[in-house]
Amino acid sequence: MAFIKLEGTASKIRTDTSVSGSISRGKGSVSSTTTMNFLLDGKAVYAQFGESMSINEGDRVIVAGAQKSNGLNALAYNNLTNGTYGEGGRLARLVGYVLIGLGIVLGLLVLPLLLIPIGIWVWWTGQRAKNALAICRQVTTAEAAVPSTL
């Protein structure tokens, strides 16, 4: 999907901050997400970042993101008026790195957990074959006394 880039003057800015998480007995975690809706030269822009965006009424702004049916879902911005810029992907990248790392570690842990039972089964199959061969090779004292004639 190609990104759409819009440049214009910000107006009708509405900022919301949502806080989520829990604290119990002084421990826990809380995170906040800043959501900003505004018009950029009359076109609707929606941005949800983990940090506050420095966009004010009348600022000249460039945004880039994915076009949705209700407007542009901005993934990054550059405020030409005050020189600030930002993007909302830092947390997503961090979570991605953690998930990739967990996948590798769990892959290393799960593979031996799968190989051990398979190895025991293969060993047991081989051991049964060895025991069967030992039974076949047992010579009774009666058979040993009588020489084999072919």
Side-chain angles (χ1 to χ4, degrees), residues 126-140:
Q127 188 63 34
R128 288 179 60 206
K130 182 180 176 182
N131 294 342
L133 179 61
I135 292 171
C136 290
R137 296 201 37 139
Q138 284 179 345
V139 178
T140 64

Side-chain angles (χ1 to χ4, degrees), residues 10 16 24 27 38 47 62 75 78 90 94 107-108 120 135 144 147 150:
D16 297 316
S24 175
K27 295 183 181 181
F38 57 95
I62 299 173
L75 301 174
N78 183 10
R90 278 190 208 105
L94 177 64
L108 294 174
I120 290 171
I135 292 171
L150 295 176

Side-chain angles (χ1 to χ4, degrees), residues 63-139:
V63 295
Q67 185 66 45
K68 301 292 182 183
S69 61
N70 59 347
L72 183 77
N73 183 13
L75 301 174
Y77 77 96
N78 183 10
N79 190 329
L80 301 174
T81 303
N82 64 20
T84 60
Y85 56 91
E87 46 94 4
R90 278 190 208 105
L91 181 62
R93 285 192 304 275
L94 177 64
V95 170
Y97 292 142
V98 169
L99 291 176
I100 290 169
L102 283 174
I104 291 169
V105 169
L106 290 178
L108 294 174
L109 294 175
V110 171
L111 189 57
L113 291 177
L114 290 175
L115 291 178
I116 290 170
I118 292 170
I120 290 171
W121 177 78
V122 170
W123 173 83
W124 179 247
T125 303
Q127 188 63 34
R128 288 179 60 206
K130 182 180 176 182
N131 294 342
L133 179 61
I135 292 171
C136 290
R137 296 201 37 139
Q138 284 179 345
V139 178

Side-chain angles (χ1 to χ4, degrees), residues 18-41:
S18 61
V19 179
S20 62
S22 64
I23 296 178
S24 175
R25 298 183 184 177
K27 295 183 181 181
S29 65
V30 176
S31 64
S32 65
T33 303
T34 302
T35 303
M36 184 177 270
N37 297 309
F38 57 95
L39 296 177
L40 202 57
D41 285 346

